[in-house]
Amino acid sequence: MLDRQKVTSSDIVISYSSNCKLNKGLLRFSKKKRIPCGACIVEWYPVEYFGGDEKAYAVYRYLFEKLFVQYDFLLPISSKIEDYFASHSNSHLFRVPILADLEEYPAKPKKIGETWKIIYPANGKIKDSLSQMIKSVSMLDDLLLNKVELHVFGVKEKNIRKIIPQKDYERLERSLILHSWLTYDELIALYNDAHYLLLAREDNQLTQANFPSKVIESMTYSVIPIVSDVGDYTRLYLK
């Protein structure tokens, strides 16, 4: 594809992938043609992420420790990743946290009433502590629980039922709204309606190295994040 596009040394090649073969091919192509090349690195997965698959983890370590360091420049998403490559590579480094387009959709004034809408947009990864978030809301007394709408998307009902006892789920159910799948327009509409974003995370390598897009994306629509104190977004960005 790059040959077809007639990429030359006056261009720049940037990888945004954790595919080992793809990065190996891009590096070989770029070095051969003397094309400046770099990589965006937005995650740093620990061994636990691979569920005991030693081969997959070995391939990932090869990518992280042997291939990424060969790029001319790196664009890490967090200071955790930046600090690692500052001491393990000679690549030029420029940290770029998640970016959001403030003018993509218009933000609308919030409706302030008796109900407070709290959203949790899951991403299918293991970064977020779903059980802590569900348990915390289920512990609200009846007066507060009646004033809350907890919108959760990307999580199945059966998974939430496993987290709390049946009687607690029955209490929570009146305030819980599960969204199986939303179009992007529907997601933005929900952001415009919501008051708070709930995001609980453990403090570990994975969460320290990440910068959650949902925090910045929701703030674009005046949603106030309630988050764990972990990573760059609390240390450098939020107050």
Side-chain angles (χ1 to χ4, degrees):
M1 181 65 72
L2 294 174
D3 266 334
R4 205 177 303 158
Q5 294 296 325
K6 297 184 173 62
V7 175
T8 70
S9 58
S10 62
D11 296 303
I12 299 173
V13 170
I14 302 178
S15 163
Y16 188 5
S17 171
S18 57
N19 183 298
C20 194
K21 288 184 179 179
L22 186 145
N23 281 282
K24 207 170 185 178
L26 282 178
L27 277 165
R28 186 166 53 242
F29 176 89
S30 301
K31 299 295 184 185
K32 182 180 178 181
K33 294 182 177 283
R34 297 185 178 180
I35 300 168
C37 59
C40 299
I41 307 177
V42 297
E43 305 281 6
W44 187 3
Y45 297 117
V47 63
E48 297 82 16
Y49 182 83
F50 295 88
D53 188 337
E54 294 181 7
K55 184 178 179 181
Y57 180 58
V59 170
Y60 179 74
R61 279 193 63 185
Y62 178 76
L63 166 73
F64 210 88
E65 298 173 8
K66 303 297 183 184
L67 294 183
F68 281 154
V69 296
Q70 296 180 45
Y71 280 104
D72 300 316
F73 63 92
L74 297 173
L75 304 174
I77 199 172
S78 64
S79 54
K80 175 82 170 178
I81 298 174
E82 181 184 34
D83 290 345
Y84 172 83
F85 285 104
S87 59
H88 288 80
S89 79
N90 295 317
S91 307
H92 295 286
L93 297 171
F94 187 75
R95 174 163 31 102
V96 185
I98 194 71
L99 304 176
D101 183 354
L102 299 178
E103 298 178 358
E104 184 180 12
Y105 286 80
K108 299 177 181 177
K110 295 292 177 191
K111 295 178 182 177
I112 305 299
E114 291 298 313
T115 302
W116 298 96
K117 296 186 179 182
I118 305 172
I119 58 174
Y120 168 61
N123 62 0
K125 304 289 185 182
I126 59 170
K127 304 186 197 91
D128 306 335
S129 300
L130 176 65
S131 61
Q132 277 76 10
M133 289 185 274
I134 295 300
K135 286 176 184 176
S136 67
V137 177
S138 71
M139 290 169 66
L140 294 174
D141 62 36
D142 287 342
L143 184 63
L144 287 174
L145 196 58
N146 287 335
K147 294 181 178 181
V148 166
E149 273 185 19
L150 178 62
H151 291 258
V152 178
F153 31 109
V155 179
K156 294 180 179 179
E157 179 184 331
K158 65 179 183 180
N159 293 332
I160 294 181
R161 285 182 176 274
K162 292 177 184 176
I163 293 171
I164 52 177
Q166 176 65 22
K167 59 182 177 63
D168 290 340
Y169 183 83
E170 289 172 0
R171 281 187 68 248
L172 179 65
E173 195 171 15
R174 62 191 168 192
S175 301
L176 183 63
I177 301 173
L178 298 178
H179 301 271
S180 56
W181 187 81
L182 294 174
T183 66
Y184 194 65
D185 285 348
E186 290 170 335
L187 174 63
I188 298 305
L190 187 53
Y191 278 146
N192 267 319
D193 268 350
H195 302 98
Y196 296 98
L197 168 82
L198 185 59
L199 182 64
R201 290 185 160 191
E202 293 181 7
D203 189 356
N204 54 41
Q205 176 185 301
L206 185 63
T207 55
Q208 290 170 14
N210 184 247
F211 198 111
S213 59
K214 62 190 83 170
V215 171
I216 307 305
E217 188 176 47
S218 61
M219 286 176 69
T220 303
Y221 303 97
S222 305
V223 177
I224 300 170
I226 306 171
V227 300
S228 303
D229 188 5
V230 53
D232 285 357
Y233 59 104
T234 51
R235 188 168 62 88
L236 302 174
Y237 196 79
L238 300 177
K239 293 184 179 179

